[in-house]
Amino acid sequence: MDINFDLAVSNGRVYTKSGLKSIDIWIKEGRIAALGGPHRAPERIDAKGMLVLPGCIDSHVHFRDPGPTYKEDWLSGSTSAAAGGITTVIDQPNTDPRTLDRQSFELKLERARASSVVDYGINGGPGKIEELKKAGAQAIGEIFCYEHSDGELERIFAETKRQGLLATVHAEDDSIIKEMVTALSSRQDPEVHSLARPVEAEVRSIEKALAWSDHLHICHLSCGQGLNLIERARQEWTGEGNATAGPKRSANKAKMRLSCEVTPHHLLLNIGDYKKQGSFLKVNPPLRSQGDNDRLWEGLRTGSIDILASDHAPHLPEEKGEDIWEAPAGVPGVETMLPLMLYAVRRNLLCLDRLVDALATRPARIFGLAKKGAISVGKDADLVIVDPKRVVEIRADRLHSRADWTPYEGMNAILPRMTIIRGSLVWDDDLMARPGYGRFQGSQLH
Ligand SMILES: [Zn+2]
């Protein structure tokens, strides 16, 4: 029986579940229909000399839409994603209005439907959690721990778990930050931002979250000590360590969920970089030491850090140039993440297996994106085609975010040549998809 395929991606080295293979990919109706074998298709993309990877998932972006769309909107943010090999994004709830109930969720969904060129999930904030689940929220969070009292956080985590959703956590403890800010308020040097939000604030917040829930995803780890806590909790939860006094755990260990992420900026930048970039590098949690960079790389390599995510948080240069206390926190990064990490693979900082695992396989699993994350028959045909030999310097004027600057200016990277989503070419050195091509990935229960 011969299937009528729509498209072939041929002659590339393809990243399959059993490693890199020189095989052709055969696509029908947006899905991968066959791998290898001589077939026929009316359209063909020649990937000779190229690496073909699963489309990447950025599970932590802030596209500002609805809200301050002069910083970013669904079209500019998703174009930036597509140009960087990201085929699915998950947008965070701190837009305006915040995504806290069905109405605000559906408002965001409408905006994304009208303009996103990549596929997307939408997280709900810690509001009407049952409603948000029914509306199709991918997870609850990021929950900014410093915005809530301990009692509120416990209740949010409990309700999120009851609804069968994952709580994604921005772990920084308010009381420590408040104390430090008061003590340091006379200082104006950019490094004061890292001192005002010290490692201890992150550590205490992670400790509390681990004590209150076993259904957690810890966002953007910034320090080695935070990673140590997560590694220890995993051992204890699986019974490999000495159990400590603590929370009531699920009777069924298989139901426990604990994962974590790291951003490119917490791997590649540290407090030494304030000298050159000043308040532009203000980000929460803040940049730490070279030692923390090293420990986070190690965690990413071993897989104890599950995934990479950009925490893409665009602000304009004139906003970022304010004094360190006034400047808004956050850096753009959705477009540069895969390119920087492909270059890290070339430098042997990371192996290709872990890169694909951290940007496709595991984010798909953690956030329930069943059709995404792998080049295998039946999955969506989301592909990134890369020339591993084409190393370029990152330049803000070649990027597509409204942020219009990058903390990685001049760094080496390997940019994707083409990005394919559900069998359609979305990026080919230029935007090829119509606004609104992207599809919602949440499951709506109503
Ligand atoms: Zn964030």
PDB file of all heavy atoms in Angstrom, residues 191-207:
ATOM      1  N   GLU A 191      25.640  45.279  40.865  1.00  0.00           N
ATOM      2  CA  GLU A 191      25.807  44.016  41.587  1.00  0.00           C
ATOM      3  C   GLU A 191      24.902  43.949  42.816  1.00  0.00           C
ATOM      4  O   GLU A 191      24.611  42.862  43.331  1.00  0.00           O
ATOM      5  CB  GLU A 191      27.276  43.849  41.990  1.00  0.00           C
ATOM      6  CG  GLU A 191      27.644  42.403  42.205  1.00  0.00           C
ATOM      7  CD  GLU A 191      29.114  42.228  42.587  1.00  0.00           C
ATOM      8  OE1 GLU A 191      29.972  42.917  41.989  1.00  0.00           O
ATOM      9  OE2 GLU A 191      29.378  41.413  43.487  1.00  0.00           O
ATOM     10  N   VAL A 192      24.460  45.129  43.290  1.00  0.00           N
ATOM     11  CA  VAL A 192      23.607  45.159  44.474  1.00  0.00           C
ATOM     12  C   VAL A 192      22.328  44.340  44.246  1.00  0.00           C
ATOM     13  O   VAL A 192      21.754  43.788  45.187  1.00  0.00           O
ATOM     14  CB  VAL A 192      23.275  46.622  44.880  1.00  0.00           C
ATOM     15  CG1 VAL A 192      22.247  47.261  43.944  1.00  0.00           C
ATOM     16  CG2 VAL A 192      22.771  46.682  46.312  1.00  0.00           C
ATOM     17  N   HIS A 193      21.916  44.217  43.000  1.00  0.00           N
ATOM     18  CA  HIS A 193      20.711  43.422  42.712  1.00  0.00           C
ATOM     19  C   HIS A 193      20.907  41.950  43.096  1.00  0.00           C
ATOM     20  O   HIS A 193      20.008  41.315  43.649  1.00  0.00           O
ATOM     21  CB  HIS A 193      20.332  43.540  41.232  1.00  0.00           C
ATOM     22  CG  HIS A 193      19.083  42.774  40.892  1.00  0.00           C
ATOM     23  ND1 HIS A 193      17.843  43.130  41.373  1.00  0.00           N
ATOM     24  CD2 HIS A 193      18.893  41.645  40.157  1.00  0.00           C
ATOM     25  CE1 HIS A 193      16.937  42.259  40.941  1.00  0.00           C
ATOM     26  NE2 HIS A 193      17.548  41.349  40.201  1.00  0.00           N
ATOM     27  N   SER A 194      22.098  41.424  42.819  1.00  0.00           N
ATOM     28  CA  SER A 194      22.373  40.029  43.188  1.00  0.00           C
ATOM     29  C   SER A 194      22.485  39.879  44.704  1.00  0.00           C
ATOM     30  O   SER A 194      22.071  38.864  45.272  1.00  0.00           O
ATOM     31  CB  SER A 194      23.651  39.531  42.511  1.00  0.00           C
ATOM     32  OG  SER A 194      23.433  39.383  41.118  1.00  0.00           O
ATOM     33  N   LEU A 195      23.037  40.912  45.367  1.00  0.00           N
ATOM     34  CA  LEU A 195      23.168  40.853  46.831  1.00  0.00           C
ATOM     35  C   LEU A 195      21.801  40.971  47.513  1.00  0.00           C
ATOM     36  O   LEU A 195      21.551  40.356  48.547  1.00  0.00           O
ATOM     37  CB  LEU A 195      24.086  41.972  47.326  1.00  0.00           C
ATOM     38  CG  LEU A 195      25.517  41.947  46.787  1.00  0.00           C
ATOM     39  CD1 LEU A 195      26.270  43.209  47.186  1.00  0.00           C
ATOM     40  CD2 LEU A 195      26.264  40.700  47.268  1.00  0.00           C
ATOM     41  N   ALA A 196      20.932  41.775  46.913  1.00  0.00           N
ATOM     42  CA  ALA A 196      19.610  41.996  47.515  1.00  0.00           C
ATOM     43  C   ALA A 196      18.692  40.776  47.385  1.00  0.00           C
ATOM     44  O   ALA A 196      17.712  40.664  48.112  1.00  0.00           O
ATOM     45  CB  ALA A 196      18.947  43.213  46.865  1.00  0.00           C
ATOM     46  N   ARG A 197      19.019  39.904  46.450  1.00  0.00           N
ATOM     47  CA  ARG A 197      18.214  38.673  46.276  1.00  0.00           C
ATOM     48  C   ARG A 197      19.173  37.495  46.357  1.00  0.00           C
ATOM     49  O   ARG A 197      19.471  36.843  45.354  1.00  0.00           O
ATOM     50  CB  ARG A 197      17.475  38.706  44.939  1.00  0.00           C
ATOM     51  CG  ARG A 197      16.606  39.942  44.735  1.00  0.00           C
ATOM     52  CD  ARG A 197      15.946  39.980  43.384  1.00  0.00           C
ATOM     53  NE  ARG A 197      14.752  39.181  43.334  1.00  0.00           N
ATOM     54  CZ  ARG A 197      13.509  39.681  43.464  1.00  0.00           C
ATOM     55  NH1 ARG A 197      13.313  40.959  43.646  1.00  0.00           N
ATOM     56  NH2 ARG A 197      12.466  38.882  43.394  1.00  0.00           N
ATOM     57  N   PRO A 198      19.688  37.210  47.560  1.00  0.00           N
ATOM     58  CA  PRO A 198      20.796  36.264  47.699  1.00  0.00           C
ATOM     59  C   PRO A 198      20.359  34.805  47.510  1.00  0.00           C
ATOM     60  O   PRO A 198      19.159  34.502  47.496  1.00  0.00           O
ATOM     61  CB  PRO A 198      21.255  36.489  49.149  1.00  0.00           C
ATOM     62  CG  PRO A 198      20.036  36.957  49.863  1.00  0.00           C
ATOM     63  CD  PRO A 198      19.247  37.759  48.847  1.00  0.00           C
ATOM     64  N   VAL A 199      21.348  33.948  47.377  1.00  0.00           N
ATOM     65  CA  VAL A 199      21.127  32.506  47.250  1.00  0.00           C
ATOM     66  C   VAL A 199      20.174  32.000  48.339  1.00  0.00           C
ATOM     67  O   VAL A 199      19.292  31.179  48.083  1.00  0.00           O
ATOM     68  CB  VAL A 199      22.498  31.769  47.330  1.00  0.00           C
ATOM     69  CG1 VAL A 199      22.321  30.289  47.601  1.00  0.00           C
ATOM     70  CG2 VAL A 199      23.284  31.990  46.037  1.00  0.00           C
ATOM     71  N   GLU A 200      20.335  32.542  49.551  1.00  0.00           N
ATOM     72  CA  GLU A 200      19.514  32.072  50.686  1.00  0.00           C
ATOM     73  C   GLU A 200      18.012  32.262  50.408  1.00  0.00           C
ATOM     74  O   GLU A 200      17.190  31.460  50.863  1.00  0.00           O
ATOM     75  CB  GLU A 200      19.861  32.817  51.983  1.00  0.00           C
ATOM     76  CG  GLU A 200      21.252  32.516  52.547  1.00  0.00           C
ATOM     77  CD  GLU A 200      22.385  33.092  51.700  1.00  0.00           C
ATOM     78  OE1 GLU A 200      22.237  34.221  51.176  1.00  0.00           O
ATOM     79  OE2 GLU A 200      23.417  32.405  51.539  1.00  0.00           O
ATOM     80  N   ALA A 201      17.664  33.334  49.689  1.00  0.00           N
ATOM     81  CA  ALA A 201      16.245  33.575  49.388  1.00  0.00           C
ATOM     82  C   ALA A 201      15.698  32.470  48.495  1.00  0.00           C
ATOM     83  O   ALA A 201      14.568  32.006  48.670  1.00  0.00           O
ATOM     84  CB  ALA A 201      16.074  34.936  48.721  1.00  0.00           C
ATOM     85  N   GLU A 202      16.506  32.039  47.535  1.00  0.00           N
ATOM     86  CA  GLU A 202      16.074  30.962  46.640  1.00  0.00           C
ATOM     87  C   GLU A 202      16.016  29.633  47.395  1.00  0.00           C
ATOM     88  O   GLU A 202      15.048  28.865  47.273  1.00  0.00           O
ATOM     89  CB  GLU A 202      17.040  30.870  45.447  1.00  0.00           C
ATOM     90  CG  GLU A 202      16.631  29.838  44.410  1.00  0.00           C
ATOM     91  CD  GLU A 202      17.395  29.998  43.092  1.00  0.00           C
ATOM     92  OE1 GLU A 202      17.758  31.140  42.741  1.00  0.00           O
ATOM     93  OE2 GLU A 202      17.630  28.991  42.416  1.00  0.00           O
ATOM     94  N   VAL A 203      17.046  29.392  48.197  1.00  0.00           N
ATOM     95  CA  VAL A 203      17.128  28.134  48.934  1.00  0.00           C
ATOM     96  C   VAL A 203      15.938  27.990  49.889  1.00  0.00           C
ATOM     97  O   VAL A 203      15.262  26.958  49.908  1.00  0.00           O
ATOM     98  CB  VAL A 203      18.467  28.051  49.707  1.00  0.00           C
ATOM     99  CG1 VAL A 203      18.438  26.943  50.750  1.00  0.00           C
ATOM    100  CG2 VAL A 203      19.617  27.832  48.723  1.00  0.00           C
ATOM    101  N   ARG A 204      15.649  29.050  50.644  1.00  0.00           N
ATOM    102  CA  ARG A 204      14.548  28.942  51.608  1.00  0.00           C
ATOM    103  C   ARG A 204      13.212  28.708  50.895  1.00  0.00           C
ATOM    104  O   ARG A 204      12.377  27.930  51.341  1.00  0.00           O
ATOM    105  CB  ARG A 204      14.456  30.186  52.492  1.00  0.00           C
ATOM    106  CG  ARG A 204      13.390  29.978  53.582  1.00  0.00           C
ATOM    107  CD  ARG A 204      13.209  31.141  54.500  1.00  0.00           C
ATOM    108  NE  ARG A 204      14.380  31.403  55.308  1.00  0.00           N
ATOM    109  CZ  ARG A 204      14.469  32.432  56.164  1.00  0.00           C
ATOM    110  NH1 ARG A 204      13.442  33.265  56.299  1.00  0.00           N
ATOM    111  NH2 ARG A 204      15.555  32.634  56.860  1.00  0.00           N
ATOM    112  N   SER A 205      13.055  29.385  49.781  1.00  0.00           N
ATOM    113  CA  SER A 205      11.802  29.248  49.041  1.00  0.00           C
ATOM    114  C   SER A 205      11.647  27.835  48.464  1.00  0.00           C
ATOM    115  O   SER A 205      10.559  27.252  48.496  1.00  0.00           O
ATOM    116  CB  SER A 205      11.773  30.307  47.942  1.00  0.00           C
ATOM    117  OG  SER A 205      10.543  30.332  47.296  1.00  0.00           O
ATOM    118  N   ILE A 206      12.724  27.271  47.946  1.00  0.00           N
ATOM    119  CA  ILE A 206      12.651  25.895  47.423  1.00  0.00           C
ATOM    120  C   ILE A 206      12.360  24.920  48.567  1.00  0.00           C
ATOM    121  O   ILE A 206      11.530  24.018  48.429  1.00  0.00           O
ATOM    122  CB  ILE A 206      13.961  25.486  46.692  1.00  0.00           C
ATOM    123  CG1 ILE A 206      14.142  26.322  45.417  1.00  0.00           C
ATOM    124  CG2 ILE A 206      13.956  24.000  46.336  1.00  0.00           C
ATOM    125  CD1 ILE A 206      15.459  26.093  44.687  1.00  0.00           C
ATOM    126  N   GLU A 207      13.012  25.137  49.708  1.00  0.00           N
ATOM    127  CA  GLU A 207      12.769  24.266  50.872  1.00  0.00           C
ATOM    128  C   GLU A 207      11.293  24.249  51.245  1.00  0.00           C
ATOM    129  O   GLU A 207      10.706  23.204  51.493  1.00  0.00           O
ATOM    130  CB  GLU A 207      13.580  24.756  52.083  1.00  0.00           C
ATOM    131  CG  GLU A 207      15.003  24.251  52.109  1.00  0.00           C
ATOM    132  CD  GLU A 207      15.853  24.939  53.191  1.00  0.00           C
ATOM    133  OE1 GLU A 207      15.407  25.955  53.782  1.00  0.00           O
ATOM    134  OE2 GLU A 207      16.973  24.464  53.426  1.00  0.00           O
TER     135      GLU A 207
END
